[in-house]
Amino acid sequence: MVAADWPGVDAAWSREIDVASTSAADEPGTVRRWHLLDNAAQLSRRGLTPAGTLLCVHGNPTWSYLWRSLLAAGSDPAHPWRVVAVDQLDMGFSERTGAFRRLADRINDLGDLTDALGLAGPVVTVGHDWGGVISLGWALAHPQLLAGVVLTNTAVHQPSDSGIPPALRLALHPAVHGWGTTTSDAFLRVTHSLAHPPLPAAIRKAYMAPYRGAGRRAGVGNFVADIPADASHPSFPALSGVAEGLRGLKVPALMLWGPRDPIFSDRYLKDLITRLPHATVHRFEGAGHLVAEDRDIATPVFEWLPGPGRDSGTAVQEIQAEDDGVPPLWGPLTELAAGTARGDTAVAEMAADGSVARWLSWQELEGNVTAVAAGLREAGVRRGSRVSLMVPPGVDLTVVLYACLRLGAVVVVADAGLGTRGLSRAVKGATPDILIGIDKALAAASVLGWSGRRISVQDLSAARRRLLGVETSLAALARRGAGLSPEPPSAGPDPDADAAVLFTSGSTGPAKGVLYTHRQLAAMRDTVAETFGIRSGARLVAAFAPFALLGPALGAVSVTPAMDVTLPRTLTAHALADAAAAINATVVFASPAALRNVIATRDGVSEDRHQALGRVELLLSAGAPVPEALLTRVQRLLPRASLHTPYGMTEALPVTDISLEQIRTAEADAAAGTVPGAGNGVCVGRPVHGARAAVIPLAADGTAPGNEPVTEPGVTGEILVSAPHVKEAYDRLWLTQRESVRTAGWHRTGDVGHFDAAGRLWVEGRLAHIVTAPGAVVTPVGTEQAIERLDSVGQAAVVGVGPPGTQAVVAVVETVPPARKAGPAAPQLAGRVRGAALEAGVNISAVLAVPAQPTDIRHNAKIDRTRLARWASRLLAGGRPGKP
């Protein structure tokens, strides 16, 4: 097989070079024959001057073929870079030396090659697997040439508290090693099987080409044998030298990672980040060990490389506070604990029987927070430590959250509402240093392999601690912390230091970690306070975890009702009324799904509990659109309350606000046609205190490619928001963050909507859910609303089936009463749905009925239109209906 037969490779890149070896593995004067893929001659023929050189080093058992996408990208006149992708000695099509080459030899070998090539700076190294270590060894030895480093799924350190990955441990076993790596091609085939999606046959054939026959695979076996499993291994000093040398490496660094890797898991990424804290990081969710095959890595690499009009950092929100006088999030808590309200209830949680299960006064809350912070400090929690909190909303979570914030630790809040898979993916991606949780969470950590030292909420028996790998408990830390001498007063964490990683709901893809600084959390608190008039002394029933945690920061008394907070629809009217009565509530926050169940279970609520609900002055509901009809029914239950449905997202909450009265006015304007732009979506009102909103107009293909924000009435586009409380970044998702701030000074939300002539924002759906029919771009929400006005329809979803640009518009309806099974809708219902959609200006090609719409786990309200579209496609293609 020759270069012309390697898919994706220009035959002109393939070359060989003789290199004088200075390696201790070779006799003096030895010359070795290297094979490489090098686009230098191609660039020269085209008259292109490269900006620098990418020195790409493969691992085991791949070869330079791994980097073909970088060679192609570097040959583009738009961003010419020389790309030198080497085949290490005994690997690929380079010489089989017959010598056992250790890590130090391979680093030295690479230096011999670059000397022979006369490589000049600037050089950016690119490495994968053990090629990552070797490329870093070269980088440390050539600081005068080095301009940056790129790493993909590699490791430079094996944690002492864990063994090497099982796959490598098996490959090293004496009974397996020789046969698995050299005699047979099993090691190669297993490695190639790690690609997601599977490699095409032609690509697999190219990867196997240099390793036909046992004599060509000795280097594969030797590479495995050279893995430093412990400190006694001959290559351990060389590996340790590279690992420690990274701490002083100040050049730009980029890490592109496939987390679905059984060899180099996220714990190795975490170690690399601690050594290169300035690195730009992107985790490709769903990608694995062969990340360069699973995803396009060339585009991010060349976007990251320094050059005209580009930068290698992450763009951030341009809004800055006028000064650094940012009151800490816990400020109101401390003030109330020292004032006349110190004995009043601060936080409470309810029992299933309607009684108060636990409560703390402001003074007790302050004391507990101080004690737990001291205990955590002694246990090794420091500024910047990541602490995953797996504790249900209530007293314990409030205490530990504010204790961590005071210490300057970064709290990781990935709630069980993400589901087991989503939660595990989130925790592994965040790689916490400490995991604090209830028994159920600690058991999951043991089974699912979550990282971090483990702390239980309550004291456990010695046997239970051993079983769960628990070091201590919050209760024990509080007792210990209460006996420690108080820390001298300090200014607290830097306002611009990382404070929290909060996870999105995962309703439109894998949940993303959203990073907030202390300044941004404080701005969120201030925005909520100013927008809704929530001041110290307010009494809040929080049926949604984030608002329960904001309570003390607002100086508000907080209570969590008796419910499963991971399933909002489990909130009953009785539980809401009990919680309201317990604190004489003035504010309620509940999701739309929670409100639906509250209305459905309102019968039988006692008179005194009705009176408690009657004292509520403000209701907030967010997470999904709240129909006016539902709010009207809620208003009867909360007669004195002003009902508001703020619009926002995990990245910026809130963005806009609207009351029930304002919703009615907006809908009347839409019906009458008196206000240009009113209608075709959910009216979410005007921007809140300190926020601005705009849109980027949609193109004919349903995308929003521009960068010029507009607010003209009737222009549909991607919604942008700018505010002091917009997130800092997406955590370890550099490409996602880069796209979200592509329009300077704005966060691109991924939602689609428009303004009316009264300055109100109308949300029409998600950018990802737009249907591109022939000659038309259809946003779903307006049509769905029209269909939902039918008395036989509960919730409706509009999805596209078929290729973009020629999609059929399909309506999927949840019927009232529920359909017995999913499938095509009855002809009469289908006709009524088509008629309703046509009045909204949309032609429906097919109508399908489902017993219940698939919704997100956290809010139980956001319909999974992507999932519905896949199901509808299968069904309309003749597949069995099944369950969507």
Side-chain angles (χ1 to χ4, degrees), residues 499-711:
V501 179
L502 311 178
F503 280 84
T504 62
S505 66
S507 59
T508 55
K512 299 182 287 291
V514 178
L515 185 65
Y516 277 92
T517 64
H518 287 270
R519 184 189 303 279
Q520 289 154 350
L521 287 181
M524 183 190 298
R525 170 201 62 198
D526 296 342
T527 298
V528 168
E530 290 298 323
T531 301
F532 303 110
I534 301 176
R535 298 286 186 266
S536 181
R539 295 175 295 281
L540 169 66
V541 177
F544 185 51
F547 269 75
L549 300 176
L550 264 183
L554 293 163
V557 180
S558 304
V559 63
T560 304
M563 63 179 294
D564 182 349
V565 292
T566 69
L567 292 171
R569 57 176 169 246
T570 60
L571 178 65
T572 65
H574 292 75
L576 177 63
D578 288 338
I583 62 168
N584 197 18
T586 58
V587 183
V588 169
F589 187 99
S591 75
L595 292 180
R596 286 191 183 93
N597 199 52
V598 165
I599 295 302
T601 58
R602 66 188 182 278
D603 293 342
V605 174
S606 64
E607 181 58 32
D608 63 325
R609 292 303 189 252
H610 266 298
Q611 291 177 5
L613 292 174
R615 290 190 289 269
V616 173
E617 300 169 2
L618 173 66
L619 173 102
L620 303 174
S621 187
V626 190
E628 184 271 339
L630 175 60
L631 289 174
T632 297
R633 292 194 291 272
V634 172
Q635 184 74 83
R636 299 189 191 108
L637 194 63
L638 307 174
R640 287 185 54 200
S642 177
L643 275 50
H644 288 251
T645 61
Y647 159 71
M649 59 283 307
T650 307
E651 298 89 339
L653 183 69
V655 173
T656 67
D657 177 53
I658 191 169
S659 68
L660 174 56
E661 293 77 13
Q662 292 166 339
I663 290 172
R664 289 169 174 161
T665 299
E667 291 187 353
D669 290 342
T674 55
V675 178
N680 192 36
V682 174
C683 186
V684 295
R686 297 178 178 86
V688 299
H689 172 80
R692 295 183 297 147
V695 301
I696 296 291
L698 293 184
D701 62 356
T703 64
N707 274 315
E708 292 298 323
V710 301
T711 57

Side-chain angles (χ1 to χ4, degrees), residues 48-107:
L48 300 173
T49 301
T53 299
L54 296 183
L55 177 62
C56 304
V57 189
H58 67 86
N60 188 29
T62 56
W63 54 288
S64 56
Y65 186 66
L66 180 72
W67 307 115
R68 63 193 182 280
S69 67
L70 296 182
L71 282 142
S75 303
D76 189 326
H79 40 63
W81 275 72
R82 183 184 184 185
V83 181
V84 177
V86 308
D87 283 0
Q88 299 194 60
L89 293 175
D90 300 314
M91 302 293 288
F93 288 98
S94 285
E95 180 182 345
R96 273 29 181 189
T97 68
F100 192 108
R101 312 190 85 78
R102 298 283 182 193
L103 174 60
D105 297 319
R106 293 194 174 279
I107 293 171

Side-chain angles (χ1 to χ4, degrees), residues 225-266:
D226 196 43
I227 296 171
D230 55 47
S232 66
H233 192 281
S235 286
F236 187 82
L239 180 64
S240 297
V242 171
E244 292 309 307
L246 288 189
R247 299 189 189 278
L249 197 64
K250 302 304 180 186
V251 296
L254 173 65
M255 300 180 196
L256 301 176
W257 208 263
R260 193 177 172 185
D261 187 344
I263 303 167
F264 298 117
S265 62
D266 277 316

Side-chain angles (χ1 to χ4, degrees), residues 446-534:
S446 298
V447 172
L448 299 172
W450 297 343
S451 68
R453 297 161 51 199
R454 297 173 197 167
I455 297 174
S456 62
V457 175
Q458 300 298 330
D459 294 329
L460 302 177
S461 66
R464 188 70 176 159
R465 285 201 309 273
R466 286 193 299 272
L467 179 66
L468 297 177
V470 169
E471 294 183 9
T472 185
S473 69
L474 272 186
L477 289 175
R479 291 192 295 270
R480 174 64 180 154
L484 295 174
S485 300
E487 284 283 307
S490 67
D494 180 343
D496 295 310
D498 295 347
V501 179
L502 311 178
F503 280 84
T504 62
S505 66
S507 59
T508 55
K512 299 182 287 291
V514 178
L515 185 65
Y516 277 92
T517 64
H518 287 270
R519 184 189 303 279
Q520 289 154 350
L521 287 181
M524 183 190 298
R525 170 201 62 198
D526 296 342
T527 298
V528 168
E530 290 298 323
T531 301
F532 303 110
I534 301 176

